[in-house]
Amino acid sequence: MAKPRLRPLDFQPIQHQGEQMWLLRDPWQLSDRQLVFPQALAQMLLFCDGTRTPEEIRAALTSHLGATVPFHVIEDALSQLDLAYLLVNERFDAERRLRLEEYRAQPFRPPALADLSYPGAPGELTALLREYGNEDTAAEQHSPDPGAVARGVVSPHIDYQRGGPVYARVWRQAAPSVLSAELVIILGTDHNGGPGSVTLTRLPYATPYGVLPTDLSLIDRLAAALGPEAAFAEELNHRHEHSVELSAVWLHHVFHEAGAAPCPMVPILVGSFHHFVTAGGHPSQDPRLERFLDTLQRETAGRRVLVVGSVDLAHVGPAFGDSFEMDAARRAHLRAEDAGLMAAIGRGDAAGFYQRV
């Protein structure tokens, strides 16, 4: 291999055989192989950026660690990365194309989390989601106004075990809007998406209740605005991404409880805007995003559209890798920050929301 380049991966610290190590997780799961790297060897991955030969990677790691690293160790590590399709090369490209063809050949996008994060049987799922509704102690104060039809919903995508009662309250409030909608658009966080990416799929999403139909005409027009290659470049992210799925299940549950056929639902994954924040920029400066939004507005004009932001607020505390406890002062500060974000959303104040971020 000439100049190895590592793919974007999820690195998770783990304890293995009593040692602190790094688990390399492939978001596309192209291989069943799971690679675990010791702390020192994991530093090698910093130099797998496509600009160095294996010999130069060895030299850089030796300098970085201040200790000689045998070349066969580098060779073996690179071979293992290659076998797991974790390097950008022809072998990876061929496997990616094969998996994408397999994904697109399906009649629908099957639920990835059924029987893992929630029951796969419709009856059991209904019982669980109703139970979360019963756990919502503020349900009476938050009963939906039958005449109130919203155009937007902010729903969590945290796991149901943590967020069940919050989901129940959100979707109870959203029920009149869902049942009156002609089209639902779910914007989900793409945890593995590239900076500023907007990723479509032509496959409808399935849930244990059946298949949520999609709007292929709208998807094709949005893809044309983004550029077809960019719109589907990371389509494999849809296979396992939980953000759209966890809200789609509740959306379908609302239709199921009402005995109503679901309207079309268009799933859209959105990557990080972190690069705008760090560079002092703004998403409105991206012509591609502007074309996408202009097309979305134009193509849905005159239709009753409900837009769902399937998003979470801050993930903080030891459960999410922080070294600090969430004491009373931190909780109060976080609550105030979140309240400010939500107030900006409620006002439709995009500039104020972005400034708070």
Side-chain angles (χ1 to χ4, degrees), residues 189-210:
T189 300
D190 191 345
H191 291 87
N192 299 299
S197 61
V198 176
T199 300
L200 307 175
T201 183
R202 299 182 88 250
L203 285 190
Y205 269 53
T207 79
Y209 297 121

Side-chain angles (χ1 to χ4, degrees), residues 13 63 102 190 232 271 335:
S63 173
E102 291 174 348
D190 191 345
F232 299 106
R335 187 175 294 111

Side-chain angles (χ1 to χ4, degrees), residues 8-58:
L9 303 174
D10 179 19
F11 295 85
Q12 297 181 350
I14 62 169
Q15 286 288 327
H16 180 66
Q17 297 179 345
E19 292 185 43
Q20 181 74 38
M21 296 196 178
W22 288 96
L23 170 66
L24 277 59
R25 194 185 72 83
D26 177 5
W28 286 352
Q29 299 179 28
L30 298 183
S31 169
D32 294 333
R33 301 169 65 90
Q34 285 196 324
L35 299 188
V36 176
F37 272 52
Q39 292 269 40
L41 186 57
Q43 305 303 306
M44 179 196 85
L45 304 174
L46 296 171
F47 308 113
C48 296
D49 59 0
T51 66
R52 299 174 176 86
T53 64
E55 292 79 6
E56 290 169 335
I57 291 173
R58 174 182 177 271

